[in-house]
Amino acid sequence: MPSGKLAMKVQDLGKVYRIAHQEKHTTLGEALIHKAKNPFRRVQRESFWAVRGINFEVYPGDTLGIIGRNGAGKSTLLKLLSRITEPTEGQIDVYGRVGSLLEVGTGFHPELTGRENVYLNGAILGMRKPEIDREFDSIVDFAGVQKFLDTPVKRYSSGMYVRLAFAVAAHLRTEILVVDEVLAVGDAEFQKRCLGKMQDVASGGRTVLFVSHNMHAIRLLCNRGIFLRQGSVQVDGTANNAIDAYLASFAKDAETAALTPEKRPGTGQYRITEVFWEKEVFNGDEPKVLHFTIRRFGDPVGNMNMVADIFNGAGLGICHCDSRLVGFGFDDTDVLHGKFTINTPWLKPDDYRVDLYISAAGIVDKYELATTLHISPVLPYPSSAPEDAIGAEVFADFNWEVESRVNSESALQESARSY
């Protein structure tokens, strides 16, 4: 463990929310009649611990990745660490100023211009005007919003908003930088620049707390990792330790999800009850066909769509296949048999995790690790190649060829004649 003073210390941290439960009514009239009949009936409330029993220490220069599934408590933890919300129990000791980027435009006033918000945000972070002046040009250049600097930020696109917000948080001299998965709003180039900037911040001795579902980014950026599950710390160690535990948790839960679909996340009116591939192993360049069965278990939903998310062995998302993009949907039925076909991209040899979702207004069924896609080690190219030729996560249909060739002797003769 590093020696020296701490950047942050968390002891027995917990946050509870009160969830109200009341009867559903389809019309305003029904609600008023029910209230008139039961004027003194109290709304039932349930206590929900978003996080509890959290303990860890962070040292200056640490880059801590916080990972876990949706609902594990990651964002709640960051809000507690950033003092945006107060804990129900426990203690947080922070040694230094904290710059946070937890959602698009955190700390921005929509009526103020980009220029004004840079100074406002800096002041909120405890910066003096001369400090902000020194970094102002770098902030604007990084965000790429020069043309719109004097435009109210309420007119910014989400991408412009997040670029400016990240630039302010990363360039101003806070000792601790807290970043949630808001970077997903930016394009690939901006995400790359953000990761590079966070590496620069960490190498300069400042502390970074980073939440992401992108395991590749966590491995690249973080020297430490915390794996959260159902609001508690499961692993606190190296980034690789945390990622391995996170990925292993899907395999453990897959068996339970298959045997007890009613316990999966989602509203539950429909459940995916059967999933199988047409072949056990596919070649990387051939169509991969998945058959599935959906059964109804509750009230009508209306029009629904399907989503398949494909991840490689390292947990990196390869494809997000939303049926709305290809015009597929289905209405209420007792049983539905369907198939999902993915033709491209070509996939390199690996075992791929496939998550399936049924969506309507919200998630009806969330089937994580519904199945595994196995890709043959036979490469989809005409000649064999060493391992280092495989490289990227997906393959491409490409070709190299020589249009013309001139040997050295004839080239010299041609050169001599030209003189």
Side-chain angles (χ1 to χ4, degrees):
M1 180 174 288
S3 59
K5 70 173 186 177
L6 292 168
M8 182 179 292
K9 185 173 183 178
V10 176
Q11 295 177 288
D12 299 321
L13 185 65
K15 178 66 178 180
V16 68
Y17 292 99
R18 309 293 179 187
I19 304 173
H21 296 286
Q22 52 188 348
E23 295 186 22
K24 296 181 180 179
H25 305 286
T26 57
T27 66
L28 177 60
E30 286 184 9
L32 293 174
I33 291 172
H34 181 268
K35 183 65 177 177
K37 289 181 177 179
N38 305 277
F40 303 108
R41 186 171 181 175
R42 293 184 177 181
V43 175
Q44 294 183 342
R45 298 184 183 275
E46 174 188 354
S47 295
F48 170 72
W49 287 91
V51 293
R52 195 171 197 184
I54 304 290
N55 293 276
F56 63 88
E57 296 177 347
V58 187
Y59 289 82
D62 272 352
T63 308
L64 175 63
I66 302 173
I67 60 177
R69 305 193 203 180
N70 292 330
K74 305 183 299 299
S75 295
T76 298
L77 176 59
L78 291 195
K79 288 178 181 178
L80 291 169
L81 300 180
S82 302
R83 305 296 174 91
I84 291 174
T85 185
E86 290 295 319
T88 305
E89 62 183 21
Q91 182 175 332
I92 306 169
D93 296 320
V94 179
Y95 306 96
R97 293 178 295 194
V98 178
S100 303
L101 185 59
L102 304 186
E103 57 187 36
V104 176
T106 301
F108 277 19
H109 192 296
E111 299 295 336
L112 299 181
T113 66
R115 184 189 304 275
E116 292 166 335
N117 270 297
V118 169
Y119 282 93
L120 172 64
N121 211 243
I124 291 172
L125 294 174
M127 302 296 164
R128 298 180 182 277
K129 187 175 182 297
E131 293 180 87
I132 304 172
D133 288 338
R134 283 196 298 269
E135 297 291 340
F136 186 83
D137 290 341
S138 297
I139 291 170
V140 174
D141 183 62
F142 188 93
V145 296
Q146 293 89 337
K147 289 174 60 177
F148 309 98
L149 197 56
D150 295 306
T151 300
V153 297
K154 67 180 180 181
R155 298 195 176 97
Y156 283 17
S157 67
S158 58
M160 293 165 60
Y161 221 126
V162 75
R163 290 202 303 271
L164 185 58
F166 179 84
V168 171
H171 283 79
L172 296 181
R173 293 282 111 188
T174 56
E175 286 76 24
I176 302 170
L177 176 62
V178 179
V179 184
D180 204 347
E181 183 111 64
V182 67
L183 300 185
V185 178
D187 57 27
E189 179 188 358
F190 180 68
Q191 290 179 28
K192 184 177 180 180
R193 291 168 62 195
C194 289
L195 291 174
K197 184 60 182 178
M198 284 191 282
Q199 285 180 311
D200 293 341
V201 167
S203 63
R206 296 160 68 192
T207 304
V208 178
L209 276 64
F210 180 43
V211 162
S212 179
H213 288 285
N214 187 328
M215 297 302 107
H216 178 68
I218 295 290
R219 288 188 198 275
L220 178 68
L221 181 66
C222 302
N223 68 313
R224 284 186 55 200
I226 285 179
F227 167 37
L228 285 182
R229 183 179 173 90
Q230 296 178 346
S232 64
V233 175
Q234 300 296 304
V235 174
D236 179 0
T238 67
N240 286 334
N241 290 153
I243 290 170
D244 290 345
Y246 170 69
L247 296 177
S249 71
F250 285 93
K252 293 179 182 178
D253 291 347
E255 297 179 11
T256 302
L259 295 172
T260 56
E262 69 277 3
K263 294 184 179 180
R264 294 199 296 254
T267 56
Q269 292 97 326
Y270 285 83
R271 295 293 186 186
I272 302 164
T273 57
E274 186 178 22
V275 177
F276 64 92
W277 293 99
E278 280 196 351
K279 294 169 59 177
E280 185 174 349
V281 179
F282 290 91
N283 291 328
D285 60 339
E286 69 178 323
K288 298 95 180 160
V289 182
L290 177 72
H291 294 266
F292 59 88
T293 299
I294 296 173
R295 297 182 184 276
R296 177 176 166 181
F297 289 92
D299 297 331
V301 174
N303 186 256
M304 290 163 277
N305 62 284
M306 298 286 295
V307 176
D309 282 333
I310 302 176
F311 303 84
N312 70 2
L316 179 66
I318 301 298
C319 301
H320 177 76
C321 306
D322 192 316
S323 69
R324 291 173 294 182
L325 294 172
V326 292
F328 173 83
F330 65 96
D331 293 315
D332 291 292
T333 182
D334 290 333
V335 180
L336 180 144
H337 301 286
K339 70 177 182 179
F340 162 67
T341 303
I342 178 168
N343 297 302
T344 59
W346 290 3
L347 299 174
K348 76 176 186 181
D350 201 349
D351 292 336
Y352 294 84
R353 183 184 109 221
V354 181
D355 296 352
L356 297 176
Y357 301 80
I358 304 174
S359 297
I363 299 296
V364 178
D365 188 16
K366 180 180 180 181
Y367 194 173
E368 295 178 314
L369 216 167
T371 184
T372 301
L373 171 60
H374 304 286
I375 300 298
S376 165
V378 177
L379 299 183
Y381 297 107
S383 59
S384 60
E387 180 66 24
D388 60 358
I390 296 177
E393 296 299 326
V394 298
F395 289 134
D397 182 7
F398 67 93
N399 190 36
W400 296 90
E401 60 183 84
V402 175
E403 292 186 338
S404 64
R405 185 194 303 273
V406 179
N407 63 42
S408 59
E409 183 179 352
S410 60
L412 285 171
Q413 292 172 353
E414 182 67 30
S415 178
R417 283 196 297 270
S418 66
Y419 286 98

